[in-house]
Amino acid sequence: MIFCYAWTNYLLINMVNVKVNIYAEEKADLIIKSSPTIDSHIVEMIKSMNIFENIYFDDYVSFKRTRVNGIFTLRKKYRGHYDRFVNSLDKAHVYSKVLVAGYWNDVLYMLNALWKRGDRFKIDLVEEGEINYEEPWKIFRPYIGESIRAKIFHNLNTYIMKCRFNRVLTRNIFLFTPNRQKDKRLKPLVMPQMELANPVYKIYNNLYKELPEWKKLFYEKRNTIFLGSYLAPQRLEDSYAYAYNMIDTILECMSDKRVIIKAHTSSTEHRLNFAQNYEESSNVYVDRDVYIFEALFCAPDIENKILIASHSSALNHPVAMFGKEPYIFVLYKLYPWYKNFGDNVGDRFVESLRNLYSKPEKIYVPNSILEFRMNLMEVKNKLAEKKEKNKI
């Protein structure tokens, strides 16, 4: 039996994709880590598919370190929570396989509790986002506590769990673009695409149909979408200032009535505050709503859109998941970080993307703002010519 553990909407749907297309004949339970971002409507759609024996909800817990709650006390509390949760599961269900995305606090403690219960399993990783394509160590950063001392202690404390679960028991990793995965210990497997015959396509298509008509109209009438990722803590420079410089360049080339800024929803503060000045001083539509952005790729005219980001999995998803090829701008080379240190992950991302496209000339990776401006004007003229031809 399979134990599926998910904590984001995207990962939930990917779990369903693997279950119905790869492990269709095996029974499985789905465990959802409750959080405000989990879409109850998606959960209801998954329930209606009747592919899981049980769907359980693991309440989100976060124990803060205080003078009373020292590191040892925190460890005991986390272990106690997950031990109690696992003991509440159907004892007749013994798991021989586990599907997770990576090894953070909750995953390690959950798997440890299963192991203590007596379940003996192998592990498959399932794509949750770009982190599954980055350096292998990034999929197990189990930090508890704020200080460096606490992080060091917790890494030492979870070392045995990491060795057991990641280095010994993990076998495969399901990805939409497996050629980008560089961990030689894992066997990369292709995640099934969102073709019409794939039952999971219905989830995305329903999510698209259920978007408000006014939102679908915005995305239908506007052709340039800037994906505002949450970058600041991960870079040495002021990433927001550079992002706004890129938006300014877009608005020099495109009418503000044709531009959408989609704020990433991983950080509430970022989602609510990113690009406020454009919202107040122009006709740019800043989309701050929380929903599955990939649902928009079910739109029939997506190949005539321009997607722009510094580096985002959303640039990869149209072609890798849906087989569609919009114009793509990858801007990571415009940040000083790249000029100072390079970015092997970004370089592999672009190489993979070009290999997936039947028309790789639709992918632009400018080396300067000037080149970015010229590339935008080139695409703008191409789309205008195409529109004129369609009128004839």
Side-chain angles (χ1 to χ4, degrees):
M1 193 162 189
I2 304 176
F3 181 95
C4 305
Y5 189 33
W7 50 87
T8 67
N9 294 317
Y10 178 63
L11 182 56
L12 263 178
I13 298 175
N14 283 348
M15 289 288 183
V16 174
N17 196 12
V18 173
K19 170 63 180 73
V20 299
N21 291 295
I22 307 297
Y23 297 120
E25 303 302 318
E26 297 190 39
K27 293 182 178 181
D29 286 339
L30 175 64
I31 291 78
I32 302 171
K33 188 173 184 64
S34 300
S35 75
T37 60
I38 292 294
D39 189 331
S40 59
H41 183 49
I42 294 176
V43 177
E44 289 300 324
M45 283 194 283
I46 293 172
K47 281 185 176 179
S48 69
M49 297 174 74
N50 293 318
I51 58 174
F52 294 104
E53 300 296 304
N54 296 293
I55 296 180
Y56 298 100
F57 294 89
D58 169 30
D59 283 340
Y60 178 82
V61 293
S62 179
F63 301 114
K64 300 298 182 183
R65 188 185 176 206
T66 64
R67 291 183 179 179
V68 177
N69 283 337
I71 296 173
F72 289 98
T73 305
L74 280 178
R75 180 182 65 177
K76 184 177 180 180
K77 285 187 174 183
Y78 273 97
R79 284 188 171 180
H81 168 77
Y82 288 103
D83 286 348
R84 288 189 294 273
F85 178 81
V86 166
N87 288 332
S88 72
L89 304 178
D90 189 336
K91 292 179 174 54
H93 289 185
V94 178
Y95 303 105
S96 58
K97 183 176 289 295
V98 169
L99 300 183
V100 294
Y103 301 106
W104 295 276
N105 295 348
D106 47 355
V107 179
L108 284 173
Y109 284 111
M110 181 75 82
L111 297 185
N112 190 62
L114 278 177
W115 198 265
K116 283 168 61 178
R117 192 182 76 160
D119 298 65
R120 294 297 179 262
F121 46 80
K122 302 297 183 184
I123 301 169
D124 287 349
L125 298 181
V126 177
E127 178 177 327
E128 196 275 332
E130 276 302 296
I131 196 164
N132 292 108
Y133 296 97
E134 296 185 17
E135 300 305 323
W137 63 268
K138 289 190 177 181
I139 66 169
F140 50 94
R141 291 182 289 185
Y143 297 156
I144 289 180
E146 301 286 333
S147 68
I148 294 176
R149 180 182 178 185
K151 292 177 181 179
I152 292 173
F153 177 88
H154 189 64
N155 272 290
L156 293 173
N157 175 52
T158 57
Y159 179 75
I160 294 175
M161 287 192 284
K162 287 190 291 187
C163 288
R164 175 190 294 157
F165 298 131
N166 183 57
R167 300 182 184 180
V168 178
L169 298 177
T170 306
R171 292 291 181 266
N172 307 311
I173 181 167
F174 289 96
L175 301 166
F176 282 107
T177 50
N179 60 307
R180 287 175 54 206
Q181 213 281 330
K182 296 300 179 183
D183 191 338
K184 295 181 180 179
R185 296 177 297 105
L186 298 177
K187 180 180 179 181
L189 301 174
V190 181
M191 189 91 77
Q193 267 198 340
M194 297 299 108
E195 299 171 342
L196 290 176
N198 187 341
V200 182
Y201 177 82
K202 185 177 179 180
I203 295 178
Y204 281 110
N205 198 39
N206 285 342
L207 291 172
Y208 174 70
K209 289 179 179 178
E210 292 167 6
L211 287 173
E213 288 301 321
W214 62 265
K215 184 179 289 292
K216 286 191 283 189
L217 189 62
F218 265 116
Y219 278 92
E220 179 185 336
K221 297 297 183 182
R222 300 178 180 230
N223 65 358
T224 305
I225 305 166
F226 180 85
L227 304 171
S229 301
Y230 182 50
L231 290 171
Q234 303 171 8
R235 295 290 186 262
L236 297 180
E237 69 267 2
D238 183 352
S239 298
Y240 279 53
Y242 284 95
Y244 294 155
N245 187 27
M246 294 167 196
I247 294 173
D248 289 340
T249 303
I250 294 170
L251 294 177
E252 289 174 13
C253 302
M254 307 291 186
S255 165
D256 58 0
K257 295 180 180 179
R258 303 282 283 167
V259 175
I260 293 174
I261 299 173
K262 179 67 179 86
H264 202 289
T265 58
S266 61
S267 163
T268 301
E269 182 182 359
H270 170 81
R271 176 173 68 85
L272 297 178
N273 297 304
F274 181 73
Q276 275 189 342
N277 52 321
Y278 299 98
E279 200 169 30
E280 297 166 356
S281 62
S282 71
N283 291 307
V284 170
Y285 169 50
V286 182
D287 186 357
R288 306 186 186 280
D289 294 336
V290 179
Y291 59 94
I292 296 288
F293 184 73
E294 286 75 14
L296 289 167
F297 300 148
C298 293
D301 62 339
I302 190 64
E303 294 196 328
N304 292 322
K305 303 297 184 185
I306 305 168
L307 298 183
I308 305 172
S310 58
H311 180 189
S312 171
S313 57
L315 300 180
N316 183 64
H317 289 165
V319 64
M321 293 175 62
F322 295 88
K324 297 181 179 180
E325 301 183 6
Y327 290 92
I328 296 291
F329 281 80
V330 195
L331 306 183
Y332 68 105
K333 289 187 177 182
L334 301 187
Y335 286 85
W337 178 272
Y338 181 83
K339 293 175 173 59
N340 291 327
F341 305 103
D343 187 346
N344 292 332
V345 175
D347 293 339
R348 290 202 305 268
F349 176 81
V350 171
E351 181 183 2
S352 170
L353 200 56
R354 284 175 170 155
N355 288 335
L356 289 173
Y357 262 59
S358 62
K359 297 179 179 179
E361 62 272 15
K362 294 183 75 173
I363 300 168
Y364 294 84
V365 190
N367 289 290
S368 67
I369 289 292
L370 175 60
E371 186 179 1
F372 180 34
R373 187 180 293 110
M374 293 173 65
N375 292 156
L376 280 172
M377 293 304 299
E378 178 184 329
V379 175
K380 181 181 180 180
N381 293 334
K382 285 182 179 179
L383 290 174
E385 291 173 7
K386 187 174 182 179
K387 187 175 181 180
E388 287 299 317
K389 286 181 180 179
N390 290 337
K391 288 181 180 179
I392 300 175

